[in-house]
Amino acid sequence: MPRTPLISQAQIRTAVVRLGAEINERYGAHELTVVSVLHGALVFTADLIRRLDMPVRLHTVSARSYHAQATAPGELQVQADGLAELRDRHVLLVDDILDTGRTLAHLSTLIRAASPASLRLVALLDKPSRRSTPVQADFVGFEIPDVFVVGYGLDHDGRFRNLPDISVLAPAGTPGHADAPRPGPPGDTLDLRPE
Ligand code: 5GP
Ligand code: MG
């Protein structure tokens, strides 16, 4: 399947630096417990935590939503052990992409049940047009349109996580493809044309 460049390594680096600065400013010297949603957020989390100045603990959970096709959300499977440790901690839940919102809404509910001191959400990518569950990230890297992306931790069928940049994966002529017309004004979403 063809891939069309969407977000370059340099653009990702700039966004991670900005997000790190925003998080440092918001929390000051308070210790932070970063909860990374595996596998997708692994690469992003590794880069983001190295931009944080406060003491940081790292916790992981796993979430898998089976996409039968690249665009259809499937059954959500979550593995989240040891959440009791989050009690009275400042928790930052980090995911690669906020799509329908189901994953982060579900994980937020599980984490809130552990009575953290605070909970905020970070998403490298946000597809607001796809939201079916009302959830908003406190820190967002990029708003993108309704396309299926891979790279920088994001996979298709287990592959492409190692790509250093983010690209659109879609057969030419389908709605997710970069050349396809998109409904509505682009707003502050990214221009999909390759550089
Ligand atoms: P949500 O629960 O918000 O619908 O979806 C979140 C999860 O779906 C993400 O963590 C990611 O694993 C997967 N996902 C959603 N959109 C995309 C996409 O464009 N590309 C990839 N690779 N995964 C996606
Ligand atoms: Mg994921």
Side-chain angles (χ1 to χ4, degrees):
M1 250 187 275
R3 282 185 278 117
T4 310
L6 181 64
I7 307 173
S8 69
Q9 288 185 66
Q11 287 173 309
I12 295 171
R13 199 176 313 118
T14 302
V16 170
V17 168
R18 170 179 58 79
L19 289 170
E22 286 176 16
I23 294 164
N24 285 329
E25 191 179 341
R26 182 71 67 93
Y27 289 90
H30 288 288
E31 183 182 277
L32 199 54
T33 300
V34 168
V35 177
S36 177
V37 185
L38 299 180
H39 300 331
L42 191 153
V43 178
F44 173 45
T45 304
D47 283 344
L48 182 66
I49 59 175
R50 285 177 288 174
R51 305 303 310 183
L52 301 181
D53 297 332
M54 70 288 283
V56 169
R57 291 175 193 265
L58 183 60
H59 195 96
T60 60
V61 294
S62 293
R64 206 183 253 260
S65 75
Y66 288 98
H67 292 259
Q69 286 136 13
T71 51
E75 188 195 335
L76 180 64
Q77 285 201 348
V78 164
Q79 229 179 310
D81 301 324
L83 294 185
E85 284 173 23
L86 304 180
R87 188 183 179 86
D88 297 331
R89 299 242 178 99
H90 292 289
V91 174
L92 190 63
L93 181 58
V94 179
D95 206 355
D96 49 4
I97 185 163
L98 186 46
D99 186 32
T100 65
R102 289 189 320 151
T103 306
L104 286 186
H106 184 67
L107 288 171
S108 297
T109 303
L110 292 180
I111 290 171
R112 282 206 187 88
S115 304
S118 68
L119 172 62
R120 290 195 174 97
L121 313 184
V122 190
L124 176 66
L125 306 176
D126 186 5
K127 289 187 204 170
S129 64
R130 290 264 303 162
R131 205 76 89 249
S132 63
T133 307
V135 45
Q136 237 183 314
D138 300 277
F139 307 94
V140 173
F142 302 92
E143 221 170 80
I144 63 168
D146 181 10
V147 289
F148 191 83
V149 290
V150 295
Y152 197 68
L154 290 137
D155 76 309
H156 177 252
D157 213 7
R159 292 167 61 222
F160 305 117
R161 294 194 196 277
N162 57 310
L163 300 178
D165 54 8
I166 294 170
S167 49
V168 176
L169 182 74
T174 63
H177 191 264
D179 295 337
R182 282 176 290 132
D188 60 353
T189 57
L190 286 170
D191 188 335
L192 280 176
R193 285 166 299 189
E195 287 162 21

Coordinates of all heavy atoms in Angstrom, one line a residue, residues 98-102 104-106 108-109 112 121 128 130-137:
L98 N -5.5 10.2 19.2 CA -6.9 10.3 19.8 C -7.8 10.3 18.6 O -7.8 11.2 17.7 CB -7.0 11.6 20.5 CG -8.2 11.9 21.3 CD1 -8.7 10.8 22.2 CD2 -8.0 13.1 22.2
D99 N -8.5 9.2 18.4 CA -9.4 8.9 17.2 C -10.8 9.0 17.6 O -11.4 10.1 17.8 CB -9.0 7.6 16.7 CG -9.6 7.2 15.3 OD1 -9.9 8.1 14.6 OD2 -9.9 6.0 15.1
T100 N -11.5 7.9 17.9 CA -12.9 8.0 18.3 C -13.0 8.4 19.8 O -14.0 8.9 20.2 CB -13.6 6.6 18.3 OG1 -12.9 5.7 19.2 CG2 -13.5 6.0 16.9
G101 N -11.9 8.3 20.5 CA -11.8 8.7 21.9 C -12.1 7.5 22.9 O -12.0 7.7 24.1
R102 N -12.5 6.4 22.3 CA -12.9 5.2 23.2 C -11.7 4.8 24.1 O -11.9 4.5 25.3 CB -13.3 4.0 22.4 CG -14.7 4.3 21.7 CD -15.2 3.0 21.1 NE -14.1 2.2 20.4 CZ -14.0 0.9 20.3 NH1 -15.0 0.2 20.7 NH2 -13.0 0.3 19.7
L104 N -8.9 6.4 25.2 CA -8.5 7.3 26.3 C -9.7 7.5 27.3 O -9.4 7.7 28.5 CB -8.0 8.6 25.8 CG -6.6 8.5 25.2 CD1 -6.1 9.9 24.7 CD2 -5.6 7.9 26.1
A105 N -10.9 7.5 26.8 CA -12.1 7.6 27.7 C -12.1 6.4 28.7 O -12.2 6.6 29.9 CB -13.4 7.7 27.0
H106 N -11.9 5.2 28.2 CA -11.9 4.0 29.0 C -10.7 4.0 30.0 O -10.9 3.8 31.2 CB -11.8 2.8 28.1 CG -11.9 1.5 28.8 ND1 -13.1 1.1 29.5 CD2 -11.0 0.5 29.0 CE1 -12.9 -0.1 30.1 NE2 -11.6 -0.4 29.8
S108 N -9.1 6.6 31.1 CA -9.3 7.7 32.0 C -10.2 7.2 33.2 O -9.9 7.5 34.3 CB -9.9 8.9 31.4 OG -9.1 9.4 30.4
T109 N -11.2 6.5 32.8 CA -12.2 6.0 33.8 C -11.4 5.0 34.8 O -11.6 5.1 36.0 CB -13.3 5.3 33.2 OG1 -14.0 6.2 32.3 CG2 -14.4 4.8 34.2
R112 N -9.0 7.1 37.0 CA -9.7 7.9 38.0 C -10.2 7.1 39.1 O -10.2 7.6 40.3 CB -10.9 8.7 37.3 CG -10.5 9.9 36.6 CD -11.5 10.9 36.4 NE -11.1 12.0 35.5 CZ -11.2 11.9 34.2 NH1 -11.9 10.9 33.7 NH2 -10.7 12.9 33.4
L121 N -4.3 14.4 29.9 CA -4.1 13.5 28.7 C -3.2 14.2 27.7 O -3.3 15.4 27.4 CB -5.4 13.2 28.0 CG -6.6 12.7 28.9 CD1 -7.7 12.3 28.0 CD2 -6.1 11.5 29.7
P128 N -10.1 15.1 15.5 CA -11.3 15.5 16.2 C -12.6 15.1 15.4 O -13.6 14.8 15.9 CB -11.2 17.0 16.3 CG -10.0 17.4 15.5 CD -9.2 16.2 15.2
R130 N -13.3 12.4 14.1 CA -13.6 11.0 14.2 C -14.3 10.7 15.6 O -14.6 9.6 15.9 CB -12.4 10.2 14.1 CG -11.8 10.1 12.7 CD -12.3 8.9 12.0 NE -11.9 7.7 12.7 CZ -12.5 6.5 12.5 NH1 -13.5 6.4 11.7 NH2 -12.1 5.4 13.2
R131 N -14.4 11.8 16.5 CA -14.7 11.5 17.9 C -16.1 11.0 18.0 O -17.1 11.6 17.5 CB -14.6 12.8 18.7 CG -14.3 12.5 20.1 CD -12.9 12.1 20.4 NE -12.1 13.2 20.7 CZ -11.1 13.6 19.9 NH1 -10.8 12.9 18.8 NH2 -10.4 14.6 20.2
S132 N -16.3 9.9 18.7 CA -17.6 9.4 19.1 C -17.9 9.4 20.6 O -19.0 9.4 21.0 CB -17.8 7.9 18.5 OG -16.9 7.1 19.2
T133 N -16.8 9.4 21.3 CA -16.8 9.5 22.8 C -16.2 10.9 23.2 O -15.1 11.2 22.7 CB -16.0 8.4 23.5 OG1 -16.5 7.2 22.9 CG2 -16.2 8.4 25.0
P134 N -16.9 11.7 24.0 CA -16.4 13.0 24.2 C -15.2 13.0 25.1 O -15.3 12.7 26.3 CB -17.6 13.8 24.9 CG -18.4 12.7 25.5 CD -18.2 11.5 24.6
V135 N -14.0 13.1 24.6 CA -12.8 13.2 25.3 C -11.8 14.2 24.6 O -11.8 14.2 23.4 CB -12.1 11.8 25.5 CG1 -12.1 11.0 24.3 CG2 -10.7 11.9 26.1
Q136 N -11.2 15.0 25.4 CA -10.3 16.0 24.9 C -8.9 15.9 25.5 O -8.8 15.6 26.7 CB -10.8 17.4 25.3 CG -11.1 18.3 24.1 CD -11.5 19.6 24.5 OE1 -12.4 19.8 25.4 NE2 -11.0 20.7 24.0
A137 N -7.9 16.0 24.7 CA -6.5 15.9 25.3 C -6.1 17.3 25.8 O -6.5 18.3 25.2 CB -5.5 15.4 24.3

